[in-house]
Amino acid sequence: MAILKLEDGMLLTDLKEIAHELAPLNIQINHWSVGDDPQLQRLLAQDSLNEDEKEQVLKALDNYFEELKQTVGYHSRDLIVLHPGVPNLDGLMAKFDQIHTHADDEVRYIIDGEGVFGFERPDGSQVELTVQKEEYINVPAGTEHWFYLTKLQRIKAVRYFIGTEGWVPQYTNKEIRLRQPAIY
Ligand SMILES: [Fe+2]
């Protein structure tokens, strides 16, 4: 269940209300079911996945990719799997916990675990959105945002790309005023 934290501390959990708050940024957020395939559920419950297992997970969810290919033109997808056993996890995450933009949309389908996206809205206000399992989010290219893991330090997310060359953070050197995770 997504949770949006506003700068005054208010928390929103209704997806429609959250979408309304994020509308000035053209961010899309949807609930997408992972279904009830027992093999997929088993893989999602594992901490880590080898390359074959990642491919199985991606294939099981490719109906969404096919739709995105046709409607939005995304060309590729991969699966990111993070958990406390990943070497240098803090170092990996440090690239993204400052305000940055990308030349490509940041499109994520969370299929296990959770993470926090922060955004600066056009009026200068900041919000933090905790995204969890079965949530799809599209952050348009050029949107100022940041991202970090919750205390769980665990996420599996399908990433959809137009092109990977846009996948470099451009730092805008703005200060994050909202720092504390929404639900801890
Ligand atoms: Fe990013």
Side-chain angles (χ1 to χ4, degrees), residues 96-100 116-120 126-128 144-148 175-179:
F96 301 109
D97 73 356
Q98 304 159 52
I99 298 188
H100 63 274
V116 179
F117 278 96
F119 303 105
E120 174 136 330
Q126 296 184 347
V127 295
E128 281 191 334
E144 288 186 295
H145 68 280
W146 61 97
F147 180 82
Y148 59 94
E175 185 199 346
I176 299 174
R177 297 186 302 274
L178 263 178
R179 201 73 244 210

Side-chain angles (χ1 to χ4, degrees), residues 22-68:
L22 297 178
L25 294 167
N26 294 315
I27 288 167
Q28 282 178 45
I29 176 158
N30 299 107
H31 179 270
W32 281 7
S33 170
V34 297
D36 52 11
D37 174 29
Q39 172 64 2
L40 178 60
Q41 298 291 349
R42 259 195 302 279
L43 291 171
L44 294 181
Q46 289 178 204
D47 275 351
S48 61
L49 298 171
N50 64 34
E51 291 307 310
D52 281 350
E53 290 168 333
K54 282 186 183 177
E55 201 49 40
Q56 279 184 55
V57 168
L58 287 167
K59 285 219 171 82
L61 299 166
D62 263 352
N63 53 321
Y64 294 119
F65 179 44
E66 287 304 320
E67 198 178 318
L68 289 172

